[in-house]
Amino acid sequence: MARIEPLAIKQWPARMRQALAAMDPPEPRHARPVLENRPKSMNTLGALAHHPALAQAFFTFNGHIIMATTLSERQRELLVLRVSTLRQCPYEWAQHVYMGRDAGLTDEEIGRIAWGPDAPFWTPLEAALLRAADELIADGAISGPTWAVLADALDSQQLLDVIFTVGAYETIAWMMRSLDLDLDDELHHLHAAPATERNP
């Protein structure tokens, strides 16, 4: 049982509807995530429904990361799935397996994320993105060598989006794990997905 039990949708305060609307950025670059036949993250939303003001602030931020980031959707999902691996957060991993597939990642690539930046077949930029997530979580900063690879391929806005993507999903992983949120029913079949780091 979660430490803060998610509210059922009929229990949500009226302001939660306003909070959800904040997910839509004013200038989207990417389409809304596919919703049909996809998990709805109701336990996450139900937990945040206890604090609609916080939810609105975070959804504004998260809406940018999902729909207005200057990174490609593939690059974003590499970062998110690596964060969920490092933080051993099955809920976040299972949710973003779907989004990773929608962004063009194959199941083999999704599985390989658990092996990290030194796994074979990543491009230099993709390896640097995965390494940036590792360094931000372990050290709180991207190292000089990793930054050099990123900066050779990405502009200033993209570099900032790398940092803030890792930060957004680090925060969500903190919440999911600290509240001990249960997986939504439709995510249970993905619970065995690789959410622990491996060494090649």
Side-chain angles (χ1 to χ4, degrees):
M1 190 169 184
R3 290 173 170 173
I4 297 177
E5 193 65 21
L7 296 175
I9 193 166
K10 63 184 178 182
Q11 299 173 302
W12 288 4
R15 187 172 174 188
M16 190 61 177
R17 315 287 180 182
Q18 178 184 339
L20 286 167
M23 184 70 80
D24 290 317
E27 297 179 9
R29 291 183 174 87
H30 305 292
R32 288 181 64 86
V34 176
L35 297 178
E36 188 176 353
N37 299 318
R38 294 293 188 276
K40 304 296 190 290
S41 296
M42 294 309 295
N43 285 345
T44 301
L45 295 174
L48 287 168
H50 286 281
H51 198 338
L54 174 63
Q56 183 169 342
F58 184 76
F59 292 157
T60 301
F61 179 21
N62 195 222
H64 169 83
I65 298 299
I66 295 297
M67 287 178 276
T69 181
T70 56
L71 299 172
S72 72
E73 292 173 296
R74 177 186 172 90
Q75 291 167 343
R76 179 197 68 217
E77 292 306 310
L78 284 171
L79 291 168
V80 175
L81 287 164
R82 186 59 181 162
V83 171
S84 69
T85 298
L86 294 169
R87 283 298 173 220
Q88 298 183 35
C89 186
Y91 195 140
E92 189 170 77
W93 173 274
Q95 182 73 30
H96 281 270
V97 163
Y98 288 94
M99 294 182 70
R101 288 170 178 162
D102 291 340
L105 289 168
T106 66
D107 285 349
E108 186 276 331
E109 288 173 323
I110 290 170
R112 192 159 20 102
I113 289 168
W115 295 91
D118 295 321
F121 308 121
W122 298 123
T123 68
L125 176 57
E126 289 170 343
L129 288 167
L130 295 172
R131 187 167 284 108
D134 289 12
E135 292 170 350
L136 285 164
I137 287 176
D139 305 319
I142 298 173
S143 70
T146 303
W147 185 268
V149 177
L150 294 174
D152 189 54
L154 304 177
D155 63 25
S156 296
Q157 290 188 352
Q158 291 170 312
L159 290 165
L160 288 167
D161 276 329
V162 168
I163 296 166
F164 280 83
T165 299
V166 172
Y169 283 90
E170 168 89 314
T171 303
I172 282 290
W174 287 342
M175 185 197 78
M176 289 173 170
R177 293 193 61 200
S178 294
L179 299 188
D180 198 17
L181 283 182
D182 291 328
L183 287 173
D184 297 309
D185 289 342
E186 67 266 32
L187 292 175
H188 278 288
H189 71 286
L190 286 173
H191 187 229
T196 56
E197 188 172 7
R198 298 172 177 174
N199 294 315

